[in-house]
Amino acid sequence: MTILSHIGYGVEKKMVTAIVLSGRGLELMKLVEEHDGVLSVTHHHARGTDRRGQRPGSLVWIERDVVMVLVEALHADEVFDLLFEAGELGAPHQGLI
């Protein structure tokens, strides 16, 4: 039994996770929280390093928001598309899902 198995007991579930620019997480969370099939949604702030375009051995700290949506499997593709479009994740450097 997993930690989240009690949510939507007996329903097949999927987790959709998006990493977006800092400040966009709350907006995306509010967008999907009332969508059909969404069982739970949360977001948190994350920080890490990036080596892109830097000298060897140097690191740049970056900050992002992480949005996690637990959704019924039947609605997972709809929620994925909604996050992808609203978060503009098809554009370069906007994040990933």
Side-chain angles (χ1 to χ4, degrees), residues 35-94:
H35 194 278
D36 290 339
V38 171
L39 302 171
S40 177
V41 60
T42 187
H43 89 285
H44 64 273
H45 194 72
R47 187 172 39 181
T49 58
D50 185 8
R51 296 175 189 234
R52 193 173 18 152
Q54 299 298 315
R55 295 185 321 242
S58 67
L59 298 175
V60 175
W61 286 95
I62 57 171
E63 297 183 1
R64 298 286 186 258
D65 283 350
V66 180
V67 179
M68 298 182 297
V69 183
L70 184 66
V71 61
E72 294 175 5
L74 293 174
H75 299 281
D77 288 339
E78 298 167 20
V79 171
F80 179 97
D81 292 340
L82 184 60
L83 286 172
F84 187 84
E85 293 298 323
E88 300 174 355
L89 298 176
H93 309 292
Q94 294 300 304

